[in-house]
Amino acid sequence: MNISDLKNAPYNPRIITEDEKLALSKSVSTFGDISGITWNKLSGNLITGHQRIAELKGKYKEITFDEIDNEHFWIIGDGMKTSFKIRVVEWDDMKEKAANIAGNSHTMSGKFELDLMPTLLEEIREFDSQIFTDFRFDQLEKDLGLMDWKFDEDKIINEDENLDGIESMIKIRCQQEIKDTVKNAILNALEGMAGVKIE
Amino acid sequence: MNKLNLLFSYAYLNGTIINLLNNKDINFLLDSGAFSAWKLKKEIKLDDYCKFVESLPFAPWKYFTLDVIGNPKETLNNYNIMKERGFNPIPIFTRGEDIGMIDEYYKTSDIIGIGGLVGTMGNKGFVKGIMKKIGDRKCHWLGFTNPNYINYFKPFSADSSSWASGLMYGVIHLYLGFGKWERLTRNKKPSARACQRISELGFDLNELKIREKWRNKRANETFRSIPMASYIKYIQDIENRIGTKIFLAIADLRDLELFIKLYGEQNESINSIGRIGFHRGTLQIQTQNGTFI
């Protein structure tokens, strides 16, 4: 396998800002790869992978380890090699805590490119709607606000149709005491004139 | 990315603006500026308008006839004169005109403009009535871009100057995508999604936290740029989703330069943005120049 074989997925909907990229770069240089299961031998604590270990404990009766090198072990479930491996580190307390947060922080994990997601999710939904609900992609769709195009057709259906010209409004100001006289004079003068409304 | 649709009025054009509009990425729609002139109580002479169209160093995407606000007869007369002189403008059907003129206009043009829709009483009902007559034929709504109506009737094109309206009232209109907008004001914290969108558009969120900048927001490039960039994105989405081309009406060189710059940035960012992902359990980060770390 060559590095050139590792093509970027053209549909990859993940993006990362400059600030996030810088933080991630620092995390990689400080902690190495903490994207999998990482265990601190000094404290005995898991640093990352709590949920994955819980899942494996529930799935297998017996879990053992098969050494790959000094730092990495395959996880064996009921005698069979799983696809999970564990990384073993020896870190002090504060480095362990910092790595725990860094490994789960949204401030350096990038985000979904909102414009690419609808097509991608639609493709998956059409392929297998079970996957869509099993992996809670329907919830993801809601969380990302991808369902926001909403048009209200009722507003148009309920609107009174017309082909009228543009209406203009004339306001007449007068002294309070002659208001009724003026109003009556206008009503008399315009009585029966088409297209005129007096409010 | 679709082209940037811009509408400019004849009254606001000069040599520098025309040179900038001569751009393969821009659909330039020329308006006679009759509405603006009418508001300023000025008159545009038909002969001057015709000479101007002739003098343009490139053909605009399309251009309107010289309409006369509140005078359908004069508007029709101007259209007939322009056609006789060899021009091919978009005729404008104005509210109040004989409805039979719709079919007449379509005999000489594949598209007509519908005028008299801006801020007039009963305009929505009129759009509903006139679109029943127009049916599937091409039309342009002048100054009317209500999204419910655009989606329902799917006109060929429309124009709007509302990108500039928010700043006058101390509001920044931010487009979140998927037809949803958020109003940013000085005293309200933007939502998490708004923060993400501001950052995606390439703006510094911290600038919005500086209260003094809100006082002079119309002069501040970031404050002008957010609604501009938002509308560029919005009209792309509308065109992709509904098919209607919305033209952004602008009136000066500074806004034109900024629109071109922001459109260029959005166009470029589609292909150059950094991406992150996992491939067979391996973390990959592609930087903006395409390299991996």
Side-chain angles (χ1 to χ4, degrees):
Chain A
M1 186 167 74
N2 294 314
I3 187 71
S4 58
D5 294 333
L6 306 178
K7 288 189 297 177
N8 249 21
Y11 56 79
N12 181 21
R14 296 294 285 174
I15 51 170
I16 188 165
T17 65
E18 288 299 320
D19 288 346
E20 289 167 347
K21 198 161 46 183
L22 184 65
L24 181 61
S25 179
K26 282 181 183 165
S27 168
V28 169
S29 58
T30 309
F31 306 122
D33 181 10
I34 49 171
S35 63
I37 300 165
T38 316
W39 175 63
N40 189 4
K41 193 176 174 182
L42 291 185
S43 66
N45 291 335
L46 276 171
I47 299 173
T48 57
H50 290 76
Q51 308 311 326
R52 270 163 283 195
I53 289 295
E55 179 68 22
L56 292 171
K57 279 180 179 172
K59 190 172 178 184
Y60 301 109
K61 285 178 188 155
E62 189 192 36
I63 292 177
T64 53
F65 301 96
D66 192 3
E67 186 172 345
I68 303 168
D69 56 40
N70 284 341
E71 246 189 62
H72 298 92
F73 295 79
W74 282 116
I75 297 177
I76 312 295
D78 296 339
M80 298 285 286
K81 193 166 89 174
T82 68
S83 59
F84 294 92
K85 60 185 176 186
I86 189 161
R87 179 181 168 211
V88 180
V89 296
E90 293 182 38
W91 290 343
D92 63 37
D93 190 41
M94 285 320 294
K95 188 169 179 179
E96 175 190 309
K97 287 175 178 167
N100 180 303
I101 294 171
N104 293 290
S105 174
H106 70 277
T107 58
M108 59 184 90
S109 61
K111 294 179 180 68
F112 283 115
E113 163 67 272
L114 295 177
D115 295 333
L116 296 176
M117 287 297 280
T119 318
L120 204 50
L121 288 173
E122 199 50 45
E123 213 174 301
I124 295 167
R125 192 192 339 245
E126 275 178 22
F127 176 71
D128 189 339
S129 58
Q130 193 60 45
I131 289 179
F132 206 82
T133 43
D134 286 352
F135 297 158
R136 302 184 74 222
F137 288 168
D138 46 353
Q139 186 60 44
L140 179 66
E141 214 171 32
K142 283 180 193 157
D143 292 346
L144 294 176
L146 302 183
M147 312 291 282
D148 288 337
W149 277 104
K150 278 182 192 155
F151 297 108
D152 191 350
E153 290 196 355
D154 287 345
K155 278 192 176 168
I156 297 154
I157 291 161
N158 296 330
E159 185 73 41
D160 287 334
E161 187 181 313
N162 75 72
L163 285 172
D164 302 337
I166 302 168
E167 279 188 2
S168 288
M169 188 181 275
I170 302 165
K171 283 185 181 174
I172 294 173
R173 287 177 189 273
C174 65
Q175 295 293 319
Q176 173 75 26
E177 57 269 26
I178 58 166
K179 184 181 156 195
D180 287 340
T181 315
V182 170
K183 190 178 164 187
N184 287 333
I186 292 169
L187 284 172
N188 288 335
L190 301 178
E191 193 183 359
M193 188 179 280
V196 176
K197 281 188 281 187
I198 297 175
E199 291 167 7
Chain B
M1 196 161 169
N2 304 312
K3 288 187 180 187
L4 177 61
N5 301 322
L6 297 177
L7 177 140
F8 243 102
S9 283
Y10 155 63
Y12 299 125
L13 288 166
N14 60 35
T16 314
I17 291 173
I18 290 165
N19 282 340
L20 283 173
L21 289 170
N22 191 2
N23 180 325
K24 64 176 174 50
D25 289 328
I26 294 176
N27 279 331
F28 162 46
L29 175 59
L30 172 64
D31 181 34
S32 69
F35 187 65
S36 313
W38 174 72
K39 282 199 289 187
L40 297 168
K41 294 182 178 160
K42 286 183 179 173
E43 191 195 351
I44 295 172
K45 289 182 179 152
L46 181 63
D47 198 43
D48 291 344
Y49 184 54
C50 289
K51 280 180 185 159
F52 173 78
V53 174
E54 261 173 343
S55 72
L56 281 171
F58 64 101
W61 179 74
K62 286 179 192 302
Y63 54 96
F64 287 108
T65 187
L66 175 60
D67 53 329
V68 182
I69 306 300
N71 193 336
K73 273 188 186 171
E74 258 323 287
T75 302
L76 173 62
N77 192 38
N78 283 348
Y79 176 67
N80 288 335
I81 293 171
M82 286 186 83
K83 289 296 282 184
E84 278 165 22
R85 288 170 71 165
F87 292 96
N88 197 23
I90 303 177
I92 296 175
F93 178 88
T94 312
R95 274 183 81 180
E97 207 170 338
D98 174 8
I99 194 75
M101 284 310 296
I102 294 274
D103 292 331
E104 284 302 308
Y105 284 135
Y106 277 119
K107 284 180 186 168
T108 53
S109 177
D110 66 335
I111 180 168
I112 64 171
I114 307 295
L117 305 178
V118 183
T120 53
M121 279 184 280
N123 58 350
K124 289 177 179 166
F126 178 77
V127 168
K128 194 176 169 185
I130 205 74
M131 290 310 288
K132 193 182 260 185
K133 174 78 181 164
I134 287 173
D136 291 337
R137 293 177 286 189
K138 279 187 192 174
C139 67
H140 177 101
W141 294 351
L142 283 103
F144 186 79
T145 53
N146 180 305
N148 286 325
Y149 281 74
I150 292 272
N151 180 59
Y152 192 83
F153 292 109
K154 300 180 175 42
F156 183 71
S157 54
D159 63 79
S160 165
S161 58
S162 45
W163 62 269
S165 63
L167 288 175
M168 283 184 245
Y169 306 104
V171 175
I172 295 175
H173 291 138
L174 172 72
Y175 181 54
L176 301 175
F178 309 98
K180 194 170 184 185
W181 291 82
E182 184 162 320
R183 288 159 55 88
L184 306 179
T185 57
R186 192 175 63 176
N187 299 319
K188 196 178 133 202
K189 195 180 167 193
S191 68
R193 195 171 155 199
C195 294
Q196 182 181 338
R197 186 54 91 179
I198 290 167
S199 144
E200 278 171 11
L201 288 170
F203 300 112
D204 182 4
L205 196 59
N206 290 318
E207 210 171 331
L208 299 183
K209 292 179 188 163
I210 304 168
R211 292 182 77 85
E212 291 74 45
K213 297 211 170 181
W214 282 86
R215 291 203 189 105
N216 197 19
K217 55 201 168 298
R218 291 178 76 181
N220 182 295
E221 189 167 305
T222 298
F223 281 61
R224 290 185 78 73
S225 296
I226 291 174
M228 284 175 158
S230 288
Y231 271 87
I232 291 171
K233 185 81 187 68
Y234 177 64
I235 65 170
Q236 293 286 326
D237 279 5
I238 289 279
E239 188 165 348
N240 290 336
R241 188 183 177 92
I242 301 170
T244 299
K245 291 177 189 298
I246 294 184
F247 285 77
L248 301 169
I250 47 179
D252 70 36
L253 176 63
R254 191 177 65 145
D255 289 340
L256 174 62
E257 286 173 332
L258 208 44
F259 265 122
I260 292 173
K261 177 181 159 225
L262 294 166
Y263 172 81
E265 284 170 4
Q266 284 191 26
N267 207 356
E268 196 177 311
S269 73
I270 285 175
N271 299 318
S272 64
I273 201 151
R275 290 184 187 283
I276 176 173
F278 287 89
H279 181 75
R280 291 183 183 173
T282 308
L283 179 69
Q284 289 184 358
I285 311 160
Q286 188 187 19
T287 60
Q288 286 186 343
N289 62 13
T291 56
F292 291 88
I293 57 171

